[in-house]
Amino acid sequence: MNLSSRGLVGLFLKVISEPRTLASRLGFAGVVLGAAFGLRYGLSLSLRELAPFLFQLPAIVVVTLISGARVGFAAVVALVLANGALLPASAWSSLGSDPGSPVDGSFGAVAGLFSFTVNALGLWLIGTLMRVSVRRLNATHGALLAAVAEQNTVVATLEALLQHAPVGFAFFDGRLRFMRVNETLARMVGIPAGEHVGRSLADMLPQLSGAITPGLEQVRATGAVLADVEVEGATPAAPGVWRHFLVSFFPVRTQGEAIGLVGMIVTEITGRKTAEKALAESEQRYRLLAEALPKMVWTATPDGRGDYYNRRWSEYTGVTPPAGEVSEWHTHLHPEDQAAALDAWKCCLASGAPYSRECRFRASDGSYRWFLCRAVPVRDDDGRIDRWYGSCTDISEIVAAREALARTNEDLERLASARTVELAKANARLKQEMEDRLKAEAQLRQAQKMEAVGQLTGGIAHDFNNLLTVIIGNLEAAERRVPKDDANKDATDIRRFLDYGRQGALRAATLTQQLLAFSRRQPLDPRPTDINKLITGMSDMLRSALGERVTVETVLAGGLWRAEIDHNQLENAILNLGVNGRDAMPTGGTLTIETANAYLDAAYCAAHEDLEPGQYVAIFVCDTGSGMAEEVRARAFEPFFTTKGPREGTGLGLSQVYGFVKQSGGHVMIYSTPGEGTTVKLYLPRHPDDVASEPVAPHPDRSRHAGGARVLLVEDDAALRALSTATLRDAGHTVVEAADSASALAALEEGAAPDLLLTDLRLGADADDQRMDGRHLVDEVRRRLTTVRVLFTTAYARNAAGHHGRLDHGVRLLTKPFTQAELVAKVKDVLEAPGNRGTVLLVEDEPFVAMVARQILEDHGFEVTVASHGHAALAHAEAAVAELSRNALVLAVVDVGLPDMSGDEVVRRLGAIAPNLPVIIATGYGTKELEGEFGASPRIALMGKPYDGATLRNGLRKLGFDIESE
């Protein structure tokens, strides 16, 4: 309640208490003082002698109360001064008179002024004290009113809190009966709040009173707070539902500190208990799952301390901590991984980001394996981390595979880098190859053209040779039938005309031989040849053929390899080149023939057709003539191409050289510069055994064989067959004719037993003809008649020996066209040659010993196969036993000291392959050790080294071979 609300007094107190500005207070003081002076002047006529304070003293009190002490004091001073100024002068002058003089009225006025002053000050002091007291009283009254209002607010707040609190409140008196219950507790137990007052706990909540009453009694007795007591049971609100409560007890004390009431706070925790139970079940399931997992599983608190590790940790680490304790995961880290892994773990704990790290953990045996460690945080409803869940997965195999892949990638990158360099080089090579390819294409076109021309000329020459053979044979037959009578002019003319015809036919035969040479179809008889010796032997012939204006010089290399070549054809080739050089030097010059050893590598051979890398003997024929232009050099090997006049050459010289060298497995090139000269380089294959064989002098012309032989003649050309048959019958031989292989075999079926088989090699019409050719016919005849002798005839010898026209060893060949005398002489040579005793397997690794032994054996009619190693000998023996159509293997000559196995071991294995095969064992270590094992065998002879022809022949005789003494 405010004091200013109580009538005039209250209004006066309000006026006194209210704060005012200085101007308003001064203004109020002026009004009051003015009023006081006005009264004084108004009454001054009748009350002139009266003291003015009768009106002014109340004004001082009013001014002091309303305007304050300072304004009141100023008013006192102002009134005193004003009153003093109003006194007459005589009043002031009387103050200085003799004290003994009589007192008049003036002195009384001054005394009244002093009295007024004293009273005014006293009233001012009283007014000041009254003002201060009133203001303090008013302030105290206001504070009291504020305290009451605050208390009312607190009480209202507490009441509202009590009624609307989310927890239940109850207050009990000294007898533990309900005094008050809030609405929350009333709803909680299902009983209205008003019904609780004055009733006991047992009456209202019988199922809970047993658990709650002890707490109430304890607080009432001790006065101590009892917090968080869990109570469970049913309530009237839900009799069949078991509920959980959390109860706290506290005392309520009165002013005398005595416990007047006991308060109770009740919170229902049924939901929390249910959640805790579900969480416990969930954790139990998690633990069971974690224990069953093959991974290492762990959990940690929000600050990173581990609080659970599954059984797999203990199995792997071998550490089983005491119950209630754990062995932290980072204590098992590899020392090299520990710092980095822990730093990353601390960062994740600070940021809350998931943890993932590959690191190594120590196993129970002390070894380390790679694991992938991961951990994720689980947060509560407020977003705070509640727990970390982690696992460690063994990735050792993955890391090993990754490292292997990384190494593979490094290898691939290294290979890619190397490949890039190679590609750059290959690009450069490709550019060069493109240029080389253009050149090679030009060379290929030239080679194809030469091949086409060669096939054409070879085919023409083949058929032409058959015709020439018939022509020459009939001219010779006619010439024999013309009498040699010089007196008979007609006979002489006929003989002259026949001779002209025969000479023309022979020139045509020479031309066909040149065509066959170019087409690489002429029969060749390659032998190991000393080229230096051959060129030295040709010196006189070259100087005679080239004339005096040409100087012949030779530069012959020392240590020159032997070449495998037909020496007769090589002489013709060198002579052809010399003649061409002479024609290029009409005023004379120098012809140089040089020899050297050469090696043609793969790169050079790849750029040239039909050329194999290897060792070659090189012959360089150089002249100092006019040289050739490039277009001439490019066509120099073409047949019939010549720069000479129509009557000066056929254009077949260089083409014949080209065909001969190519057929021999060699290579020929022309290098020429116009005005400086030409060099022709011949590359001839080196003989593998490098053993020289001297050229064999041709047999002189022999007369027809006096004794007759049985000859089976097989020739598909009817005219040539008839001519050859007549010629052989004239020579005294018995001839059985056959037009093809089938007819020849039919003659054998009818009983023919020829001493000689004379057959053409090419019995088919063309390459696609399915009829048996001469070579296969010989194989079949020899299968039936092993002792028959064979003579081949051919117009060209592409298949003469199975090696591009180069004769196999032991093959006898008569080349078409031939004269009747050549046919009779060749047949006689074959028939008079020593009989073929069979094949000897000569197993010898020393080339010169093998050469001597082979010559001795061939002189006695044996065919010889040389093997330098034991395994090669055994392979040949197995093939010879399996192929019965060939000459039978009749003897083996075996050296004891072989590179790959001992000779006695070879003899033992030969005995298993061919048990009845005679064997001569040659040894340079004495025969005593071998006699113990082989001496008693009738099929084995022992021979010491070195041996000569007589020793070898004695060995042959010991094994039963009929060998004549020399």
Side-chain angles (χ1 to χ4, degrees), residues 69-365:
R70 287 179 294 177
V71 176
F73 183 76
V76 171
V77 174
L79 289 173
V80 171
L81 292 176
N83 289 325
L86 293 175
L87 290 178
S90 59
W92 294 103
S93 62
S94 64
L95 291 177
S97 62
D98 187 0
S101 62
V103 178
D104 57 9
S106 299
F107 182 79
V110 174
L113 178 60
F114 280 112
S115 175
F116 168 75
T117 302
V118 173
N119 290 325
L121 289 174
L123 290 175
W124 170 78
L125 181 60
I126 294 171
T128 300
L129 293 175
M130 287 178 64
R131 176 181 174 82
V132 171
S133 297
V134 170
R135 290 178 68 88
R136 287 181 179 177
L137 178 61
N138 194 35
T140 301
H141 184 263
L144 181 59
L145 292 177
V148 171
E150 184 178 357
Q151 183 177 7
N152 293 334
T153 302
V154 171
V155 171
T157 302
L158 291 176
E159 183 69 23
L161 177 62
L162 180 65
Q163 293 299 326
H164 302 289
V167 296
F169 282 95
F171 294 93
F172 298 88
D173 58 14
R175 295 183 299 170
L176 300 182
R177 293 181 180 275
F178 286 100
M179 290 188 63
R180 186 166 183 180
V181 175
N182 71 344
E183 291 297 330
T184 302
L185 182 59
R187 288 193 301 270
M188 196 179 296
V189 299
I191 301 175
E195 295 183 10
H196 289 76
V197 179
R199 304 182 67 178
S200 66
L201 190 63
D203 295 337
M204 304 304 295
L205 301 172
Q207 294 183 352
L208 298 175
S209 62
I212 296 176
T213 300
L216 293 172
E217 293 175 346
Q218 180 180 345
V219 172
R220 184 182 61 179
T222 63
V225 175
L226 183 60
D228 298 336
V229 177
E230 291 190 11
V231 176
E232 60 183 21
T235 63
V241 178
W242 203 254
R243 302 168 72 181
H244 298 267
F245 301 94
L246 188 65
V247 182
S248 297
F249 305 95
F250 60 93
V252 179
R253 301 180 184 274
T254 62
Q255 294 181 355
E257 297 298 325
I259 299 175
L261 301 174
V262 177
M264 180 179 70
I265 302 173
V266 181
T267 304
E268 185 172 4
I269 58 173
T270 303
R272 191 182 77 182
K273 283 293 184 179
T274 303
E276 288 178 354
K277 182 179 180 182
L279 178 60
E281 293 176 353
S282 176
E283 289 183 352
Q284 180 65 18
R285 288 194 298 271
Y286 166 77
R287 289 179 182 272
L288 292 175
L289 177 62
E291 293 296 332
L293 286 175
K295 298 181 180 181
M296 296 191 294
V297 180
W298 52 277
T299 62
T301 59
D303 59 357
R305 290 181 292 106
D307 57 1
Y308 168 72
Y309 291 86
N310 68 344
R311 180 170 45 84
R312 180 77 176 95
W313 274 95
S314 299
E315 293 176 354
Y316 178 76
T317 61
V319 177
T320 303
E325 297 182 8
V326 294
S327 177
E328 292 286 4
W329 60 272
H330 51 77
T331 60
H332 304 284
L333 282 170
H334 192 283
E336 296 178 359
D337 301 338
Q338 195 168 34
L342 287 178
D343 290 343
W345 177 234
K346 292 177 181 177
C347 291
C348 291
L349 291 176
S351 64
Y355 178 77
S356 180
R357 188 84 181 180
E358 292 182 3
C359 47
R360 289 165 287 181
F361 282 96
R362 183 179 62 252
S364 57
D365 59 358

Side-chain angles (χ1 to χ4, degrees), residues 717-944:
D717 188 292
L720 181 57
R721 185 172 65 251
L723 178 62
S724 299
T725 299
T727 301
L728 292 175
R729 285 174 177 170
D730 289 346
H733 301 295
T734 301
V735 180
V736 177
E737 297 182 55
D740 52 29
S741 299
S743 301
L745 295 176
L748 294 179
E749 295 291 339
E750 294 174 358
D755 299 313
L756 173 66
L757 173 62
L758 176 60
T759 178
D760 187 13
L761 265 172
R762 189 174 183 267
L763 293 176
D766 50 47
D768 297 330
D769 200 305
Q770 298 299 318
R771 289 177 288 177
M772 185 183 294
D773 63 6
R775 186 177 184 84
H776 291 89
L777 174 63
V778 169
D779 291 340
E780 181 62 25
V781 172
R782 276 184 169 173
R783 191 180 66 83
R784 304 182 186 190
L785 301 173
T786 59
T787 60
V788 68
R789 304 192 180 202
V790 178
L791 174 60
F792 288 112
T793 64
T794 181
Y796 69 95
R798 172 179 287 268
N799 300 316
H803 302 292
H804 304 287
R806 302 167 64 192
L807 295 177
D808 278 341
H809 178 73
V811 172
R812 302 299 181 94
L813 183 69
L814 178 61
T815 306
K816 300 175 184 178
F818 50 79
T819 64
Q820 291 180 334
E822 290 173 342
L823 173 61
V824 173
K826 194 68 174 180
V827 169
K828 182 180 179 181
D829 287 342
V830 173
L831 291 173
E832 291 180 351
N836 186 1
R837 295 175 178 267
T839 300
V840 176
L841 178 60
L842 177 59
V843 189
E844 175 63 61
D845 62 330
E846 182 61 42
F848 293 102
V849 176
M851 177 186 69
V852 173
R854 178 175 184 170
Q855 187 62 51
I856 296 172
L857 292 169
E858 287 181 346
D859 289 345
H860 288 283
F862 294 101
E863 287 191 5
V864 181
T865 298
V866 180
S868 59
H869 293 70
H871 287 96
L874 295 174
H876 180 80
E878 292 175 350
V881 170
E883 192 176 359
L884 298 177
S885 62
R886 300 292 182 185
N887 291 337
L889 187 63
V890 297
L891 174 68
V893 180
V894 182
D895 181 27
V896 171
L898 296 175
D900 56 344
M901 64 173 65
S902 62
D904 52 344
E905 178 63 22
V906 174
V907 173
R908 295 187 193 98
R909 297 190 183 184
L910 284 175
I913 296 172
N916 298 321
L917 179 68
V919 179
I920 297 177
I921 303 177
T923 175
Y925 304 102
T927 61
K928 291 184 179 180
E929 294 183 0
L930 297 174
E931 286 178 354
E933 181 177 357
F934 302 109
S937 175
R939 68 177 186 86
I940 296 178
L942 302 177
M943 179 176 64

Side-chain angles (χ1 to χ4, degrees), residues 399-615:
V399 172
R402 187 171 60 201
E403 291 176 353
L405 180 61
R407 290 193 296 270
T408 302
N409 290 335
E410 291 176 0
D411 294 341
L412 289 176
E413 290 176 0
R414 190 163 50 250
L415 290 175
S417 177
R419 184 59 176 165
T420 302
V421 176
E422 292 178 0
L423 288 175
K425 295 180 180 178
N427 188 36
R429 290 196 302 269
L430 182 60
K431 292 180 180 179
Q432 182 62 39
E433 288 175 1
M434 289 176 66
E435 298 176 0
D436 296 341
R437 183 174 182 177
L438 294 176
K439 297 178 181 178
E441 287 177 352
Q443 294 176 353
L444 178 60
R445 287 193 295 270
Q446 178 68 13
Q448 289 173 340
K449 181 174 69 174
M450 297 289 283
E451 180 67 20
V453 174
Q455 291 179 357
L456 176 63
T457 54
I460 294 174
H462 167 262
D463 295 334
F464 199 50
N465 269 335
N466 284 339
L467 295 175
L468 288 175
T469 302
V470 175
I471 293 171
I472 293 172
N474 282 284
L475 289 173
E476 287 181 341
E479 191 175 4
R480 286 196 303 270
R481 286 166 174 74
V482 176
K484 296 182 178 180
D485 185 0
D486 295 337
N488 188 340
K489 185 175 180 303
D490 292 337
T492 301
D493 291 340
I494 291 172
R495 290 181 63 84
R496 186 173 69 253
F497 294 148
L498 291 174
D499 184 61
Y500 290 159
R502 185 167 56 84
Q503 293 298 326
L506 291 175
R507 288 183 61 188
T510 302
L511 179 61
T512 59
Q513 288 301 318
Q514 291 176 327
L515 291 174
L516 287 173
F518 167 73
S519 62
R520 289 177 265 177
R521 287 167 171 79
Q522 64 176 337
L524 299 179
D525 187 12
R527 296 176 180 273
T529 303
D530 186 336
I531 301 298
N532 285 346
K533 190 172 183 180
L534 183 145
I535 293 174
T536 302
M538 290 182 64
S539 297
D540 293 340
M541 179 176 62
L542 286 171
R543 290 186 175 88
S544 175
L546 302 182
E548 297 179 354
R549 289 181 296 181
V550 177
T551 302
V552 179
E553 295 181 356
T554 57
V555 181
L556 306 179
L560 188 69
W561 296 327
R562 310 287 180 172
E564 186 178 22
I565 200 72
D566 188 321
H567 40 73
N568 292 326
Q569 295 295 336
L570 179 58
E571 286 180 349
N572 290 334
I574 295 175
L575 183 60
N576 266 330
L577 295 176
V579 171
N580 283 344
R582 179 202 64 189
D583 294 342
M585 300 181 291
T587 59
T590 301
L591 182 75
T592 303
I593 302 176
E594 182 180 354
T595 61
N597 294 327
Y599 179 82
L600 302 183
D601 59 17
Y604 181 84
C605 294
H608 298 84
E609 193 178 10
D610 298 333
L611 187 60
E612 295 292 332
Q615 296 174 333

